Amino acid sequence: TAIQTKLGPIMEVAIGGDIPDMELRQIALNLEKEIERVKGVAKVVHRGLRDLEIRVEPDVKKLAQYRLSLDEIVGALKRQNISVPGGVVEANLDDPMSRERLVRTRGDYVDLDDIKNTVIRANDLGQPVYIKDVAEVRYDLERAQVVTKTNGQTGLTLTVLRKDKSDAINVVDDVKARLEQLKPTLDSRLSISYVNDLSQYIRRRLSILTSNLLIGFFLILILLPLLIPFRFSLLIALGVPFAFLGAIAVMYQMGMSISLISMMGLIIVCGMLVDDAIVVTENSVRLIERGMDPKEAAIEGASQMVGPVMASVMTTVMAFLPMMFMSGIFGKFIKFIPMGVLIALFVSLFEAFIVLPAHISSWINLDYICSLKSGPKKNEARVARFLRWSRGFWDEKAVPVYLRLLKASLRRRYVFAAGLFVFFIGTMVLAVKGMRFVLFPPEGVEIFFIRTEAPVGTSLDQHARLLSPIEKAVGELREGELDNFTTTVGLVQQDPNDPNTRRGAEFAQVAVYLTPENLRSRKADEIISSLREAVGKPEGLDRVVFARVNPGPPTGKPVSLGVRGSEYKDILPAVNYLKELLGGIDGVTDIADSYLLGKEELRVKVKSAEAAAAGLSVASIANSVRSVYEGVVATKVRTLDEEIAVRVSAPANERATEEALSRQLIPNAMGQLIPLSQVSTIESSRGILYYEHEGFSRQVRVSADVDIKKTSSLEVNGRIRKMLPEIQQKFPGLTIDFGGEDEDTKESFQSLGRAFVVAIIGIFLILVLIFRSLLQPLLVLLTIPLGVIAVVWAFFFHGMPLSFMGMLGIVALAGVIVNNAIVFVDFVNQRRLEGRSQEDSIVEAGRDRIRPIFLTTATTVAGILPTAYGIGGLDKFVVPIAMALGWGIAFGSMLSAFAFPAAMAILDDVTNWLAKRKSPA
């Protein structure tokens, strides 16, 4: 199956070197064509590449000498560069050789000489004034809107986008191979580097996940023979590759791809895949031991387990199914986790009831079982002796100890239940008061931005020079920490869909790409802190802000407060007050607001009466003013592969002065040149750069980052919420909107809450159908809090905050942890139907079920915990969900092994008491 990512950019090719801009542009265009020929490449998007223009820049003195204006030059170019069809010369019907011919008037430009020889004006004697007489004509690049640099070197960036359904890794490899082939033909001064290579990210994550998956699988293979005979273990273990291959085949047919998210679903389900096989095999072997024919025992053993196994699988399905319908960006992000789990579970179900019984009937018989119970043989290998001893230890030592403890818990069931209840309440208090919730902890961060703001009016080149100290500090990071870094001046955005995009020469960002966290000694937060101290605020910059790119879906700022009102004069004092409040909270950093003033403007105020008297309009004056500084595209020269704009503007030295505006001459309809100063006045003013409106009000947003070691987004926003009455009393008429991570957290809690409630209701309804009772399903659901207890303490002892992925693990845990209780209840009910007493049925069920409970728990934990601890490579993004499931199932099942029988005994007491109350005296 192809390794894919979402449709979009998969790598950036940065090119640079000591090469003139015009030559570098042509190289970039040639490379763009070559890359787009590579199979799987959809498109190449360039950043920093400027369009080619033909510049027509008249000499001011020569214009005055010939009494010409820029408007006349623009008009001459427009009138000359045309190609107009004139109709058809019809064929002469009397001449059989006559043919129709087209008529076309052509004056279109082919090269610079055509433009230079364009006639602007001619006198009565036919003496013309050519453009070459008054202006310089040359090829140039359009004015830069963005400056890009890679590792401090100015250049261009080509972003490669892959086609839908193409393999991201293969596309990247093919692009790199093609560029390597082209290197000998390229300019020796050219340097090529690969930035933000998504294939490396995919390779590393898939390698980590598959390594941990294999380790988990082999742990299961090692674990099973310790408690059950090798032949049984082999039959059970064969279900894992069968389910995986079947799941991948189904995913392929459904058009799904193997990616980080879908692989995470397969890892979660790895240990669960053997649960069905363990239960079916255990029951079939029990029937064979009673003397039943192996074939009949396999059929009967599977048939008896259809109810409880289907119930346990369906409860897991009900836990994961609501995740597929979660709302918002989080729902889209995790959608493929439950899909991977559900597909693999259904395939394993098919294997357990269709394939496995055939293997049991063929490989297991009474003679084999009897041989296992016989003493050790003389020539038996050490491994076989050890496995025989481990199975004997379980039967002779572990099970009796468990039964003694079980009977003790049954005798003191009310004390045991009360203790667990108190423990649960204490755990919830710890979770609420003693632990932080962080939507997506900044673990495993490999990309961060250093965003700067210069004084409004700073040019691109000036801002680029001001960034030199920051680029130097980044370039001097410790060896092994920095992969590469890119600088963008004139544009600030995380991705093309970033709603907080800022454009303008006063904005810039340095994107720092770090090496994988396991290859460096410092975490991203430590590196950011050291850079913040080293960089400070370089001279000439107004603001320097650091922003991490956390794993997971894009989220807002940890603190994002929208101050809304009718007038900025009312909003800004409240904004400053909020910034002071945030500044006083320990752990809050990079405080900023979205209120920005624009560049200073020279506003041309037209005198209506004077302009009308001179035969001018506001439009004609505006066009003339525009032609001086911005320039006017008079026409375009068409070549085979592009259109080149012909731009008329004042020379560079004129564009750099304000006096050129006052000296501007504007032609009227009679050909007279009217000085701009006679028909207008020039005023200096300054406006707001961005107007932000939300909820029919003006808004200024205050944002900040947090250090999760000291505080959290939830805590900071909570403190501001408590002060809302005071703030609104101090600034009446204003409202405060909480956005960013606070809004995302609220959305995620609501979505997770809905998923959890739907899962619980679904599990309960399934249990009611299976047990035909209301009380026993409620009892089974009581095992879920036991898993929650285990998760909270596991996160606490590991020093991890509660997070979205951890909470997702709790939702998934709800469907898994009930499985053992379901089968336990089913066994108790069977024993009672056979005539056992209430207590004896519980004890016998505990004796018969402890080994499969332990096995299913141990195999599930063995399949998940390698990912939680990164035994085969650490991916911190998936750690919380693996940790929640692993430890939740481990300790939750251990608690259930004692708590659930005690709860059943209490339920029996309540039922008996109610029966006595109802019975006649």
Side-chain angles (χ1 to χ4, degrees):
T1 303
I3 298 170
Q4 301 167 5
T5 63
K6 63 180 180 180
L7 182 64
I10 54 172
M11 69 180 301
E12 295 177 5
V13 181
I15 62 172
D18 188 18
I19 302 173
D21 290 345
M22 200 79 75
E23 293 181 29
L24 189 62
R25 176 185 183 275
Q26 192 56 51
I27 292 172
L29 290 174
N30 293 337
L31 289 179
E32 180 181 334
K33 292 176 184 176
E34 292 293 336
I35 292 172
E36 287 185 344
R37 290 192 183 104
V38 173
K39 182 181 178 182
V41 174
K43 188 180 180 182
V44 175
V45 179
H46 41 69
R47 190 171 74 244
L49 187 73
R50 292 183 282 163
D51 288 338
L52 187 64
E53 288 186 340
I54 296 175
R55 284 273 186 174
V56 179
E57 295 182 348
D59 185 293
V60 176
K61 293 180 180 178
K62 289 181 179 178
L63 286 180
Q65 178 185 341
Y66 287 102
R67 299 294 294 170
L68 292 171
S69 67
L70 291 176
D71 286 10
E72 289 179 273
I73 296 175
V74 171
L77 290 167
K78 285 182 177 179
R79 292 191 296 271
Q80 174 67 30
N81 188 35
I82 60 173
S83 176
V84 181
V88 178
V89 178
E90 296 182 359
N92 187 347
L93 298 179
D94 297 331
D95 183 0
M97 301 301 293
S98 177
R99 298 289 185 270
E100 288 186 349
R101 286 177 292 174
L102 297 175
V103 177
R104 179 178 293 274
T105 303
R106 297 200 61 176
D108 46 337
Y109 297 136
V110 176
D111 53 29
L112 291 185
D113 289 335
D114 291 341
I115 296 173
K116 291 177 181 178
N117 292 323
T118 298
V119 176
I120 304 171
R121 183 194 297 167
N123 59 19
D124 295 341
L125 299 176
Q127 295 175 328
V129 179
Y130 297 102
I131 283 182
K132 64 183 178 182
D133 295 332
V134 296
E136 178 189 0
V137 181
R138 70 179 190 279
Y139 283 111
D140 202 351
L141 299 178
E142 68 174 345
R143 184 184 178 190
Q145 301 296 321
V146 175
V147 171
T148 60
K149 301 167 78 175
T150 302
N151 298 326
Q153 185 181 57
T154 304
L156 304 172
T157 301
L158 304 175
T159 303
V160 181
L161 282 72
R162 71 171 185 89
K163 291 179 180 176
D164 191 18
K165 303 299 181 185
S166 60
D167 188 308
I169 292 178
N170 287 345
V171 171
V172 170
D173 288 344
D174 291 346
V175 168
K176 289 181 178 179
R178 181 58 184 151
L179 291 177
E180 286 298 319
Q181 292 175 358
L182 293 172
K183 267 189 178 180
T185 65
L186 298 174
D187 193 312
S188 58
R189 297 170 295 176
L190 183 73
S191 64
I192 298 178
S193 55
Y194 304 108
V195 180
N196 201 15
D197 181 354
L198 193 61
S199 73
Q200 298 299 325
Y201 182 77
I202 296 171
R203 286 179 218 265
R204 188 169 70 251
R205 286 212 153 170
L206 287 180
S207 173
I208 289 171
L209 291 173
T210 50
S211 296
N212 287 317
L213 186 63
L214 289 173
I215 290 171
F217 176 63
F218 283 114
L219 283 175
I220 293 170
L221 286 179
I222 293 170
L223 185 64
L224 286 172
L226 294 177
L227 299 179
I228 57 178
F230 181 76
R231 197 176 292 186
F232 298 173
S233 304
L234 188 59
L235 286 179
I236 293 168
L238 282 176
V240 176
F242 182 94
F244 263 95
L245 293 174
I248 290 173
V250 173
M251 289 166 66
Y252 179 77
Q253 292 300 320
M254 293 175 63
M256 292 174 60
S257 61
I258 296 179
S259 62
L260 165 67
I261 305 302
S262 57
M263 281 290 289
M264 197 155 65
L266 293 178
I267 284 183
I268 288 170
V269 80
C270 174
M272 303 177 200
L273 296 178
V274 299
D275 291 2
D276 309 340
I278 289 173
V279 172
V280 171
T281 303
E282 278 271 336
N283 198 45
S284 299
V285 169
R286 183 173 60 86
L287 295 176
I288 293 173
E289 288 177 337
R290 292 181 177 181
M292 190 178 288
D293 178 71
K295 184 175 181 180
E296 293 180 4
I299 296 172
E300 182 64 22
S303 301
Q304 289 180 0
M305 291 294 104
V306 168
V309 168
M310 283 296 293
S312 65
V313 170
M314 290 310 297
T315 55
T316 306
V317 168
M318 284 308 305
F320 282 94
L321 191 62
M323 297 181 195
M324 294 177 59
F325 304 101
M326 288 176 63
S327 59
I329 191 169
F330 302 105
K332 294 178 182 177
F333 180 72
I334 66 163
K335 179 180 178 181
F336 291 103
I337 294 177
M339 286 188 73
V341 171
L342 299 182
I343 292 170
L345 277 177
F346 283 123
V347 175
S348 73
L349 205 59
F350 173 83
E351 192 272 341
F353 289 119
I354 305 299
V355 180
L356 182 62
H359 291 162
I360 292 173
S361 64
S362 301
W363 290 15
I364 310 271
N365 53 47
L366 188 59
D367 292 338
Y368 173 68
I369 295 173
C370 292
S371 70
L372 295 173
K373 295 181 178 180
S374 62
K377 299 174 183 178
K378 293 182 179 179
N379 299 324
E380 195 171 35
R382 289 184 179 179
V383 173
R385 285 175 176 271
F386 173 75
L387 294 178
R388 186 185 293 274
W389 172 85
S390 67
R391 293 193 295 270
F393 176 83
W394 176 264
D395 294 331
E396 297 167 12
K397 301 290 184 182
V399 172
V401 169
Y402 167 70
L403 289 176
R404 285 198 298 272
L405 293 174
L406 176 60
K407 291 175 182 177
S409 68
L410 291 176
R411 285 194 301 271
R412 298 173 177 82
R413 48 185 173 271
Y414 291 100
V415 175
F416 190 46
L420 272 179
F421 180 74
V422 172
F423 187 39
F424 175 73
I425 297 299
T427 301
M428 292 301 98
V429 172
L430 171 70
V432 174
K433 299 293 185 182
M435 298 180 70
R436 293 194 174 102
F437 180 85
V438 181
L439 194 61
F440 288 98
E443 298 287 348
V445 172
E446 296 179 13
I447 305 172
F448 65 87
F449 295 99
I450 306 173
R451 290 175 175 148
T452 64
E453 290 181 23
V456 176
T458 304
S459 70
L460 288 173
D461 291 335
Q462 289 172 328
H463 200 165
R465 284 197 294 271
L466 293 173
L467 293 175
S468 295
I470 296 176
E471 292 175 327
K472 182 181 178 184
V474 172
E476 291 175 351
L477 286 175
R478 294 179 187 175
E479 186 177 353
E481 290 184 340
L482 180 66
D483 189 7
N484 46 53
F485 67 94
T486 62
T487 305
T488 307
V489 185
L491 176 67
V492 167
Q493 64 178 191
Q494 183 168 323
D495 58 68
N497 300 316
D498 188 354
N500 299 313
T501 296
R502 293 286 182 265
R503 300 179 188 275
E506 61 269 28
F507 301 109
Q509 71 180 18
V510 178
V512 183
Y513 299 91
L514 301 174
T515 55
E517 192 169 87
N518 62 315
L519 299 181
R520 44 187 158 89
S521 58
R522 294 190 297 175
K523 294 184 177 180
D525 279 351
E526 297 175 271
I527 294 172
I528 290 172
S529 297
S530 67
L531 279 176
R532 188 181 275 118
E533 292 179 9
V535 168
K537 191 173 80 172
E539 186 178 353
L541 293 176
D542 286 345
R543 187 182 294 169
V544 178
V545 175
F546 290 76
R548 298 182 300 262
V549 180
N550 289 341
T555 57
K557 278 279 191 180
V559 180
S560 183
L561 307 171
V563 185
R564 298 174 185 175
S566 56
E567 299 293 337
Y568 283 114
K569 62 182 178 63
D570 301 323
I571 295 173
L572 292 177
V575 167
N576 293 328
Y577 182 72
L578 280 173
K579 289 168 72 175
E580 289 178 11
L581 287 179
L582 292 171
I585 300 175
D586 189 29
V588 178
T589 60
D590 297 330
I591 303 168
D593 65 75
S594 62
Y595 182 79
L596 297 168
L597 291 174
K599 293 180 181 179
E600 185 179 348
E601 292 182 350
L602 298 176
R603 296 183 177 177
V604 178
K605 294 279 189 178
V606 177
K607 301 175 183 177
S608 301
E610 287 84 347
L616 297 174
S617 65
V618 176
S620 62
I621 293 172
N623 286 333
S624 294
V625 170
R626 180 182 177 86
S627 66
V628 176
Y629 295 99
E630 178 67 20
V632 175
V633 176
T635 186
K636 293 183 178 180
V637 176
R638 292 170 178 81
T639 64
L640 288 174
D641 53 359
E642 63 180 329
E643 286 186 340
I644 303 174
V646 180
R647 186 180 296 274
V648 180
S649 68
N653 59 339
E654 287 287 306
R655 297 198 301 270
T657 64
E658 297 177 15
E659 289 75 15
L661 193 60
S662 59
R663 293 197 301 264
Q664 175 75 3
L665 298 176
I666 304 170
N668 62 11
M670 294 167 285
Q672 297 171 325
L673 298 178
I674 311 299
L676 179 64
S677 57
Q678 289 185 9
V679 294
S680 69
T681 57
I682 299 173
E683 300 175 356
S684 180
S685 180
R686 193 175 185 183
I688 297 174
L689 187 60
Y690 294 105
Y691 286 90
E692 188 177 346
H693 285 254
E694 193 76 29
F696 304 103
S697 300
R698 288 179 173 174
Q699 174 176 279
V700 175
R701 191 160 287 280
V702 178
S703 60
D705 204 347
V706 297
D707 182 351
I708 66 165
K709 294 177 181 177
K710 299 177 180 178
T711 185
S712 70
S713 169
L714 213 59
E715 291 174 15
V716 175
N717 283 290
R719 290 181 64 171
I720 299 297
R721 269 198 180 87
K722 290 178 182 177
M723 300 181 70
L724 271 184
E726 177 189 333
I727 296 170
Q728 289 176 337
Q729 185 178 3
K730 190 177 181 68
F731 304 100
L734 300 182
T735 58
I736 309 295
D737 171 72
F738 289 79
E741 189 175 315
D742 184 76
E743 184 180 15
D744 294 333
T745 301
K746 189 183 301 181
E747 181 188 2
S748 70
F749 265 125
Q750 290 173 348
S751 194
L752 274 171
R754 287 193 297 269
F756 188 73
V757 170
V758 171
I760 295 298
I761 293 173
I763 291 169
F764 178 74
L765 292 176
I766 289 170
L767 295 178
V768 169
L769 289 173
I770 295 295
F771 298 130
R772 298 176 184 177
S773 163
L774 288 176
L775 294 177
Q776 286 186 340
L778 287 174
L779 203 63
V780 171
L781 292 180
L782 287 177
T783 58
I784 295 174
L786 300 178
V788 174
I789 291 173
V791 173
V792 171
W793 284 102
F795 276 57
F796 177 77
F797 284 121
H798 285 84
M800 295 169 58
L802 295 172
S803 63
F804 178 78
M805 296 302 286
M807 300 296 283
L808 199 66
I810 291 176
V811 176
L813 178 66
V816 181
I817 198 169
V818 298
N819 291 345
N820 290 326
I822 291 170
V823 182
F824 191 98
V825 171
D826 185 72
F827 264 66
V828 169
N829 291 340
Q830 288 181 27
R831 295 297 178 273
R832 291 179 180 180
L833 288 174
E834 293 171 1
R836 305 292 195 280
S837 66
Q838 290 179 337
E839 184 172 344
D840 288 344
S841 63
I842 294 173
V843 173
E844 287 186 24
R847 181 195 63 204
D848 293 341
R849 290 303 304 152
I850 186 59
R851 182 162 65 177
I853 285 175
F854 179 81
L855 275 176
T856 54
T857 300
T859 52
T860 303
V861 171
I864 294 174
L865 286 185
T867 302
Y869 290 101
I871 297 173
L874 188 62
D875 188 340
K876 292 195 173 180
F877 177 66
V878 301
V879 164
I881 191 169
M883 190 74 71
L885 275 170
W887 287 110
I889 292 169
F891 282 103
S893 296
M894 188 173 70
L895 288 171
S896 296
F898 297 99
F900 189 73
M904 285 204 74
I906 292 173
L907 180 62
D908 289 338
D909 292 344
V910 173
T911 305
N912 294 335
W913 180 77
L914 290 174
K916 288 180 181 178
R917 291 289 301 269
K918 289 181 181 180
S919 63

